[in-house]
């Protein structure tokens, strides 16, 4: 599923429009019939494109799925970055609280894009995707290590493992609920997570 070797170095406006149409069509088809049952022919028909144009931009159905996921994950990363930036601008400097601010923003983004989120957290994806999903959530959590390093605190690997695992379960649950119930659950999850602190801090204050 490595897409690096298949991305054109430069793309015309028409090529970019075709690629975007194919991704939109793939999202629609995957949501409608699921990844496993979806066919390339359905995607190109919905996009008003040709099979050749699809294979010009993507290696196949799994590549389309991964492109959609990368776009989704990028939007989630932007949401969490903005939330942390707002927190800092409002005077928050505690790295643990900033990490949980990012976690709540991630959950809110998952709820806001419920239909898209369900594509990736339903268990219906390309072979090996679930392990990639867990790894990407761990990578997302690890990026918050910078919050601890800027505060000159050691990284608590156990804490990061617990948070990333909890986020995987949390996203899976909130997107299956109605909006109000999902937001309340996100509040409760964030509140519980916010009680966790790095081991080193607990030892210093204990």
């Amino acid at each position: 599923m490595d897409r690096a070797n298949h991305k054109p170095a430069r793309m015309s406006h028409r090529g970019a429009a075709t690629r975007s149409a194919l991704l939109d069509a793939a999202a629609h088809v995957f949501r409608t019939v699921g990844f496993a049952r979806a066919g390339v022919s359905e995607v190109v028909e919905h996009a008003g494109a040709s099979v050749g144009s699809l294979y010009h931009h993507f290696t196949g159905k799994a590549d389309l799925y991964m492109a959609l996921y990368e776009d989704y994950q990028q939007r989630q990363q932007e949401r969490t970055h903005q939330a942390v930036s707002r927190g800092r601008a409002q005077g928050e400097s505690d790295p643990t609280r900033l990490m949980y601010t990012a976690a709540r923003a991630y959950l809110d983004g998952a709820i806001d894009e419920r239909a898209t989120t369900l594509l990736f957290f339903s268990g219906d994806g390309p072979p090996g995707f679930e392990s990639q999903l867990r790894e990407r959530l761990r990578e997302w959590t690890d990026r918050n290590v910078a919050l601890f390093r800027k505060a000159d605190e050691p990284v608590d690997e156990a804490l990061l493992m617990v948070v990333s695992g909890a986020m995987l379960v949390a996203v899976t649950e909130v997107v299956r609920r109605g909006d109000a119930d999902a937001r309340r659950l996100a509040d409760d999850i964030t509140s519980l997570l916010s009680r966790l602190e790095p081991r080193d801090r607990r030892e210093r204050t204990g």
Side-chain angles (χ1 to χ4, degrees), residues 166-189:
M167 287 296 292
L168 179 63
V169 175
V171 173
T172 302
E173 290 299 319
V174 298
V175 297
R176 287 174 167 79
R177 303 184 180 221
D179 194 73
D181 193 24
R183 304 284 179 188
R184 282 194 294 271
L185 182 58
D187 282 338
D188 291 343
I189 292 166

Side-chain angles (χ1 to χ4, degrees), residues 94-143:
D94 182 86
T96 307
R97 286 196 289 268
L98 287 172
M99 186 169 76
Y100 297 131
T101 294
R104 178 54 197 265
Y106 195 101
L107 289 175
D108 281 338
I111 296 167
D112 290 341
E113 293 195 42
R114 182 181 281 103
T116 299
T117 305
L118 280 168
L119 279 179
F120 310 119
F121 288 82
S122 66
D124 179 22
F129 177 72
E130 287 192 40
S131 63
Q132 289 194 42
L133 182 61
R134 287 193 295 271
E135 180 59 27
R136 290 301 298 277
L137 269 176
R138 176 60 191 265
E139 289 172 3
W140 174 85
T141 307
D142 284 349
R143 278 194 283 271

